Amino acid sequence: MSLRISGVILGFSLLGLFSYALFSGLEMPFRASLLPVLTSIAAIPLVILAMIIDARRAQKTGSQIDESSGDLAVSEAEVSTDAFRRVSWFFLWFAGLILAAHLFGFLIALPSMVVLYLLACKETLSTAILLAGMVLAILYWGFQKGLVLPLPRGILITLLFGN
Amino acid sequence: MSVWDAVWGGLAAIMQPSAFMYMMLGIVISSTLVALPGIGSKTAIALLLPVAFTLEKFEAICLIVSVWAVSNTANSITSILFAVPGGSGSQATILDGYPMARNGEAARALAAAFTSSALGGVFGAIVLALSLPILKPLVILLGPSEFFVLILFGIAMVSTLSGKNKAKGLVIGLLGLLVSAVGIHLVSGVPRFTFGSLVLMEGLSLIPVTIGLFAVPELLSLVASGTAISKMELNDLDSGRRQGIRDAFSNWWLIIRSSLVGVWVGMIPGLGSSVADWFAYGHARATEKNAEETFGKGDVRGVIAVDAATNAKEGGSLIPTLAFGIPGSSTLALVFGGLLIVGVKPGKEILTTNLDVTFSFIWLLIIASVITSILCIIFIKPLAKATQIRPSLLVPVICALSVVGAFASSNNFGDVVIMALCGLAGYWLRLHGWPRPPLLLGLVLGPEAERHLWTSYQLYEWEFIFRPITGSLLILLFLIMAWPFLKKVFGTNKKGDTV
């Protein structure tokens, strides 16, 4: 999917979001609806305007990247096919990290996934173990003991070994 | 509380051993993380918010404010050494800092930058302290309708300065306001945009949204670029330090002028570091002797002007934040959110009953700026080496900390999922040039905006927009929004007339 199509989808998603907020806001009591309704009324024409300006800019410059944004600039390297492959891989890993944390708990899942990531990036096993140990130390002594934060044990671990 | 009690109370509070320790921790974290391009002060603050949540009031203030206050100091390292801006505030530092480094004067440039950063930071804090007597009566004069319009003004200013497509910034600011409405409406008890989810009924917490919007996309950006932050060789950094410090002190008049530029820019909500550095550079170039010939080729005055202004800006940006609850910049919106978490509410309260908190900010700006500059001058080399860490080592560790940070805010796994979704949304927005800072500003200011809007409506119905100050602010807001369009229309007409 080209960057331009992705940008158009983003624009229409925002349009859909504000339209939904407007119509569901109208069904709320007056006091609760004030902010969502006023916000959506102002936002809908602005989204359309932003999309038109974007389309004109893309037509004029031929570039897919909006370099005028006030946010951190996106480089050409970040929008290459290779970059998208790396980002997709990262998201898969990130989703796996969250799923593993839910199943096995933070203390097991997070260091294990760090090792997995580092090995996949061709780092040495000793580096991977060192960094995973560091993460485990921060989680256990920093958060669980230091901040007295009860880190979840994971639903699978709880099912197998109980609370 | 008398002013002097507040002055000493603020100092005593941040000098308590535990609070001081958190200030030092904030300085070290900020100087190390912010020195890495892509890992800005927003990411650092986002990752620290869950920790601040568990601390005492002044400990949390010390941690959060010190990270923010000194973030512009370490930024200069990568700008000067590698021509890679560490953050938006250090772009203009490259113009003369990098040529100096290439001429073998890296240590001199860094020392001059750090010294002028400290002096600029102190200057900004003094201006903030001096402005307090004027701000207090002004804030008491304003009512809910004026505050509501001021909030809109703040969001609009951040949005309109978010690049050429200003509509995008405004949309995202409004999206932030809308996102702040998610959850059960506290007064009417109506669930708003919760889709029956228990996690959403409590509303979206600031911490997971912030980590998702700012930390995750930067990590993705590092993954996407796939290269080390800097691959360049580190030059000899030991010589020239003393000369750099001397340069800063001998150009004291330039530092004062640049700091004034910084304070002025900081006071206008929305104008961030990225503007302060260019304004100060432009001012120095226009006013300094022989600047036309030497600036851009490695003139130390170019570095001094920029670094003094970007640090002085912080004191200036605290003025609208403390007085009106309108964060002067997107990073300050995060700081503001962190302060709300620990029960510090900007506005009337902080200038009256909690004046010691205000003075603790001022002391922090002064003390943290000076300590950071001294530390940076001492540890130039290890800080510069931090920029050579491979992303493959950085990304999984920060990711793991982001997950636990999102969870820590409410001990709810749903917040981890919210963080991941916000990360995805943040990356998508960034990729297409929709600026993320206004979203955060809208989210932080949303509840206040709604409260002031409702009170204004109750008091005056829709006629509140015709009140003198409210109406004037609205007209001003409209003119600022419509200015590019009006300029085009009137510019064309004028051209047409003459033809």
Side-chain angles (χ1 to χ4, degrees):
Chain A
M1 184 170 63
S2 88
L3 198 62
R4 201 167 291 173
I5 296 171
S6 156
V8 172
I9 293 173
L10 175 60
F12 277 108
S13 305
L14 286 168
L15 206 56
L17 190 81
F18 282 113
S19 307
Y20 169 77
L22 176 63
F23 288 112
S24 47
L26 289 173
E27 290 168 11
M28 292 174 192
F30 181 67
R31 186 166 180 177
S33 73
L34 254 183
L35 187 73
V37 169
L38 285 182
T39 306
S40 304
I41 289 172
I44 290 169
L46 283 169
V47 177
I48 297 167
L49 181 69
M51 286 171 74
I52 293 169
I53 294 172
D54 241 11
R56 277 179 153 186
R57 180 198 54 79
Q59 213 170 26
K60 213 169 164 183
T61 61
S63 169
Q64 296 196 69
I65 301 172
D66 182 0
E67 287 165 348
S68 72
S69 157
D71 212 329
L72 289 168
V74 177
S75 65
E76 287 289 345
E78 284 179 63
V79 293
S80 65
T81 319
D82 204 30
F84 277 117
R85 187 182 52 77
R86 279 197 294 267
V87 167
S88 312
W89 183 88
F90 173 82
F91 263 116
L92 271 179
W93 173 81
F94 196 39
L97 176 84
I98 293 170
L99 185 68
H102 191 50
L103 293 175
F104 304 107
F106 282 32
L107 291 175
I108 297 173
L110 299 189
S112 313
M113 291 303 282
V114 168
V115 170
L116 200 71
Y117 185 97
L118 290 165
L119 292 179
C121 288
K122 297 186 176 67
E123 294 293 342
T124 60
L125 184 65
S126 54
T127 310
I129 291 172
L130 184 79
L131 280 178
M134 204 178 86
V135 169
L136 182 64
I138 294 171
L139 290 181
Y140 186 72
W141 280 293
F143 283 90
Q144 186 147 299
K145 293 284 170 194
L147 299 177
V148 204
L149 179 76
L151 294 174
R153 295 186 70 205
I155 50 168
L156 262 185
I157 299 291
T158 312
L159 264 176
L160 290 173
F161 304 104
N163 281 319
Chain B
M1 184 182 279
S2 78
V3 175
W4 285 111
D5 285 345
V7 170
W8 299 121
L11 180 63
I14 64 162
M15 293 310 275
Q16 285 167 12
S18 60
F20 191 80
M21 193 195 78
Y22 280 107
M23 180 185 74
M24 292 304 292
L25 184 70
I27 289 172
V28 172
I29 291 173
S30 184
S31 305
T32 317
L33 276 183
V34 172
L36 311 175
I39 312 287
S41 53
K42 280 195 269 288
T43 309
I45 295 169
L47 291 171
L48 284 173
L49 283 185
V51 179
F53 186 63
T54 62
L55 302 176
E56 294 290 323
K57 187 169 81 177
F58 280 104
E59 291 171 354
I61 288 173
C62 282
L63 183 66
I64 300 171
V65 175
S66 62
V67 171
W68 161 74
V70 305
S71 60
N72 283 319
T73 306
N75 267 343
S76 307
I77 297 171
T78 49
S79 297
I80 290 170
L81 294 179
F82 315 119
V84 178
S88 57
S90 58
Q91 286 163 351
T93 311
I94 295 173
L95 295 181
D96 277 290
Y98 188 57
M100 281 183 79
R102 286 176 66 180
N103 296 338
E105 292 184 309
R108 183 184 170 194
L110 285 167
F114 297 145
T115 312
S116 45
S117 288
L119 296 174
V122 171
F123 187 88
I126 292 170
V127 172
L128 171 64
L130 293 176
S131 66
L132 287 178
I134 309 162
L135 287 174
K136 224 161 120 177
L138 190 69
V139 169
I140 293 166
L141 199 76
L142 301 176
S145 61
E146 287 82 15
F147 271 109
F148 172 67
V149 179
L150 275 171
I151 288 173
L152 291 187
F153 207 86
I155 294 173
M157 287 299 279
V158 170
S159 308
T160 51
L161 291 154
S162 302
K164 281 181 188 161
N165 194 343
K166 292 169 178 53
K168 277 184 172 177
L170 284 171
V171 168
I172 298 299
L174 292 168
L175 181 65
L177 286 177
L178 190 65
V179 169
S180 76
V182 172
I184 293 186
H185 186 233
L186 286 175
V187 181
S188 63
V190 176
R192 297 190 292 189
F193 318 115
T194 57
F195 309 102
S197 158
L198 279 174
V199 177
L200 293 179
M201 291 222 181
E202 287 177 19
L204 292 175
S205 310
L206 185 70
I207 295 171
V209 174
T210 309
I211 295 175
L213 273 180
F214 290 97
V216 177
E218 298 334 317
L219 293 176
L220 279 167
S221 170
L222 280 177
V223 171
S225 61
T227 52
I229 290 164
S230 171
K231 289 175 177 171
M232 293 180 74
E233 291 285 314
L234 294 177
N235 298 324
D236 175 32
L237 296 172
D238 293 326
S239 59
R241 283 183 208 184
R242 249 176 283 166
Q243 178 62 40
I245 297 168
R246 267 202 302 270
D247 285 333
F249 281 104
S250 60
N251 284 291
W252 60 272
W253 179 231
L254 174 63
I255 287 184
I256 291 178
R257 284 183 287 130
S258 305
S259 300
L260 275 173
V261 171
V263 170
W264 170 70
V265 171
M267 276 168 64
I268 304 167
L271 281 177
S273 303
S274 51
V275 188
D277 61 341
W278 292 110
F279 275 24
Y281 190 81
H283 168 75
R285 198 188 165 107
T287 55
E288 285 295 295
K289 211 174 174 183
N290 301 327
E292 286 294 323
E293 289 129 47
T294 55
F295 268 47
K297 292 171 188 159
D299 191 322
V300 75
R301 293 173 297 175
V303 176
I304 290 169
V306 171
D307 278 75
T310 50
N311 276 270
K313 176 196 77 75
E314 309 300 12
S317 65
L318 266 180
I319 294 172
T321 311
L322 296 178
F324 311 114
I326 300 165
S329 67
S330 53
T331 315
L332 209 45
L334 261 177
V335 175
F336 181 93
L339 296 177
L340 285 179
I341 288 171
V342 292
V344 176
K345 204 172 169 191
K348 279 177 193 172
E349 217 173 273
I350 209 166
L351 293 176
T352 49
T353 47
N354 287 334
L355 199 58
D356 56 336
V357 174
T358 306
F359 276 101
S360 73
F361 290 174
I362 294 168
W363 283 116
L364 270 171
L365 275 177
I366 295 172
I367 297 169
S369 295
V370 174
I371 291 177
T372 308
S373 295
I374 293 169
L375 287 177
C376 281
I377 289 171
I378 296 171
F379 296 109
I380 283 175
K381 206 162 188 176
L383 281 171
K385 273 187 178 165
T387 61
Q388 299 191 316
I389 297 173
R390 292 188 296 281
S392 57
L393 301 179
L394 218 56
V395 169
V397 176
I398 295 182
C399 232
L401 294 180
S402 302
V403 168
V404 74
F407 173 80
S409 64
S410 59
N411 291 6
N412 191 337
F413 199 83
D415 278 343
V416 177
V417 179
I418 288 173
M419 182 267 293
L421 293 175
C422 286
L424 193 63
Y427 184 67
W428 202 16
L429 289 172
R430 180 176 169 256
L431 207 58
H432 296 290
W434 294 79
R436 293 162 294 162
L439 200 157
L440 192 72
L441 205 59
L443 179 65
V444 171
L445 295 176
E448 283 295 300
E450 190 167 21
R451 191 169 64 84
H452 289 309
L453 173 64
W454 178 247
T455 317
S456 310
Y457 180 80
Q458 270 189 318
L459 288 172
Y460 315 104
E461 296 208 326
W462 292 115
E463 282 174 16
F464 76 81
I465 58 171
F466 301 116
R467 285 172 56 78
I469 302 176
T470 313
S472 313
L473 283 169
L474 277 172
I475 291 169
L476 190 63
L477 183 64
F478 173 78
L479 286 175
I480 291 170
M481 296 289 106
W483 177 246
F485 178 73
L486 293 174
K487 208 167 84 174
K488 213 178 246 180
V489 170
F490 288 113
T492 316
N493 281 350
K494 211 176 169 186
K495 227 177 193 178
D497 289 347
T498 50
V499 168

